Amino acid sequence: MATVLTERTRYLLDEDRIPRAWYNIAADLPSPAPPPLHPGTGQPIGPGDLAPLFPMELIKQVVSQEREVEIPDPVRDAYKLYRPSPLHRARRLEKALDTPAHIYYKYEGGSPSGSHKPNTALAQAYFNKAEGVTRLATETGAGQWGSALAFAGAAFDLEIKVFMVRASYDQKPYRRILMETYGASVVPSPSPDTQYGQKVLAETPGHTGSLGVAISEAIEDTVTHPGTKYSLGSVFDFVLLHQTVIGQESIAQMDMAGEEPDVIIGCAGGGSNFAGLTFPWLGQTFRGGRKYKVIAAEPEAAPSLTRGVYAYDFGDTAKTTPLVKMHTLGSDFIPEPIHAGGLRYHGMAPLISHIYELGLLEAIAIEQTECFAAAITFARTEGIVPAPEPTHALAATIREALACKESGEDKVIVTALCGHGLLDLAAYEEYLGGQMVDSGLSDQDLASALAAVPVLAG
Ligand SMILES: Cc1ncc(COP(=O)(O)O)c(C=O)c1O
């Protein structure tokens, strides 16, 4: 007879518990992160340098040292469509693994577009609209970010143009249709719509694209279209800031569960969901609280934290962005077309890179077949089909839980399940059919990618 599980499974907060402010980790860092530099002068950039791309309120958030940045009411109202998000205790997964560990996951896949990305898309759309912007240009990897911004564009009445990495455009037609359903226009990147896209296509016809190339196209589109600003789904400080609603809610929910994490795990592409979950917990540590084992899980195909260098580099392939100090594989690096399109980025958020350098978080890189094996176990126990990106967090979680089984420790693990994979079933089909391959990254390919990292004077 099946065991009846009577203990509590989901920890739910009322609507009025949606945070009223985003948490700004800059206020609590043990030392400040190195500033972005102007590529021409080598000097720290000022607000004026960012003004062609972003509205002033977002630029102010990048330089703010205030611990709390108020969430405007229209953004909180839009958050009510899906926040607070649930925290689940993965009791059935624990049972299947036969582990004494307690596993919790914060589930962001219940948002309208299916991931954590609307947390910042709604904020960015609101601040742009408030400053008279009529159109936003952006890139998307997996299509999750593009879908989120398309949804936010519909919510705040903005036109949205999306440059979608070719590999994902071909693998995930339903993501494109979702974006178009919300009213966005979508082109595969590299595209003929920009001069940079034309150049890349001329050099490499059939180029599978990368986030770095798509960012270059979106920036070129922005500066060549009046009334347009640029919007991005990861890496930049204000994006990480907006995602901290995840971690703040998780602190309240763990309190309801009467437990404190020993280990906190997230997948990291540019780092926004990872920061969203972990920064509010790390902030408690920085203010003198308990220390947690914090793990960023990245793909072997784009291992910026585990195998990249910590250096000033460009955020895009055309080298149009400011230079930011981050763990990077070189802005020319084109990762293999793994299914976790959202993790195919050459760099890591500067704030995460800085905290990693301080030794306050750990990183691991995992191959995609291990991740999908974890996802299958998860789907068959917890019922949710994860997006390919958080399968990395789940694989890391299962490694930790199995280590607990070995040691007999009942550690508390909290992880971010930052999106569902219902539009990623082609990846599952490939895995289930035994056709999924691991790509790895050879030392030789890594060395030639790193050779492109700029060498700064001084
Ligand atoms: C579901 C999902 N998770 C994770 C990521 C990776 O981005 P980040 O590291 O900023 O959370 C993406 C990016 O597109 C995504 O769609």
Side-chain angles (χ1 to χ4, degrees), residues 3-266:
T3 318
V4 181
L5 300 164
T6 52
E7 302 102 328
R8 188 154 186 183
T9 298
R10 296 204 304 159
Y11 296 87
L12 305 171
L13 298 171
D14 285 342
E15 207 166 89
D16 64 1
R17 301 288 299 278
I18 295 173
R20 294 187 181 274
W22 292 298
Y23 166 65
N24 181 12
I25 200 165
D28 293 320
L29 283 174
S31 64
L37 303 180
H38 191 287
T41 63
Q43 294 302 308
I45 54 167
D49 296 311
L50 294 175
L53 297 183
F54 303 118
M56 207 35 82
E57 275 308 308
L58 290 177
I59 295 171
K60 281 193 209 153
Q61 290 174 6
V62 177
V63 291
S64 168
Q65 294 297 313
E66 296 296 316
R67 182 171 293 132
E68 296 197 337
V69 177
E70 193 188 330
I71 303 176
D73 283 343
V75 177
R76 267 189 102 241
D77 267 355
Y79 279 172
K80 287 180 188 165
L81 290 168
Y82 63 99
R83 302 213 73 81
S85 70
L87 178 82
H88 295 232
R89 170 91 183 262
R91 294 188 187 275
R92 290 164 193 268
L93 175 64
E94 290 169 16
K95 225 172 170 25
L97 298 174
D98 190 24
T99 175
H102 297 188
I103 303 173
Y104 293 85
Y105 59 94
K106 179 77 169 148
Y107 184 47
E108 293 292 310
S111 80
S113 62
S115 78
H116 65 294
K117 299 282 180 181
N119 296 333
T120 183
L122 290 166
Q124 292 186 48
Y126 167 77
F127 288 117
N128 274 286
K129 183 75 182 179
E131 291 184 29
V133 173
T134 55
R135 179 176 176 274
L136 294 174
T138 196
E139 70 285 339
T140 193
Q144 288 269 22
W145 165 243
S147 314
L149 193 68
F151 154 61
F156 288 102
D157 191 22
L158 287 161
E159 221 184 295
I160 306 292
K161 167 84 180 233
V162 183
F163 293 87
M164 183 173 189
V165 173
R166 172 107 238 173
S168 297
Y169 188 91
D170 293 338
Q171 280 168 353
K172 300 172 200 267
Y174 293 109
R175 277 276 157 209
R176 169 181 58 76
I177 298 165
L178 180 59
M179 290 184 259
E180 290 171 349
T181 301
Y182 285 131
S185 81
V186 188
V187 289
S189 168
S191 79
D193 292 15
T194 64
Q195 284 189 1
Y196 185 65
Q198 290 164 16
K199 177 169 167 276
V200 174
L201 285 174
E203 281 165 12
T204 318
H207 196 294
T208 53
S210 72
L211 276 170
V213 171
I215 293 170
S216 300
E217 288 205 88
I219 290 177
E220 182 184 324
D221 178 291
T222 301
V223 296
T224 52
H225 288 79
T228 299
K229 295 270 186 207
Y230 170 61
S231 183
L232 79 174
S234 193
V235 182
F236 225 62
D237 296 11
F238 63 69
V239 180
L240 275 53
L241 173 83
H242 301 151
Q243 293 295 352
T244 58
V245 287
I246 302 173
Q248 293 185 68
E249 287 176 7
S250 77
I251 289 175
Q253 288 161 312
M254 286 304 288
D255 198 40
M256 285 170 83
E259 299 217 84
E260 229 196 320
D262 298 294
V263 189
I264 310 174
I265 301 173

Side-chain angles (χ1 to χ4, degrees), residues 293-310:
K293 178 173 174 178
V294 177
I295 306 173
E298 57 182 15
E300 282 280 8
S304 54
L305 279 174
T306 48
R307 291 175 72 193
V309 289
Y310 185 49

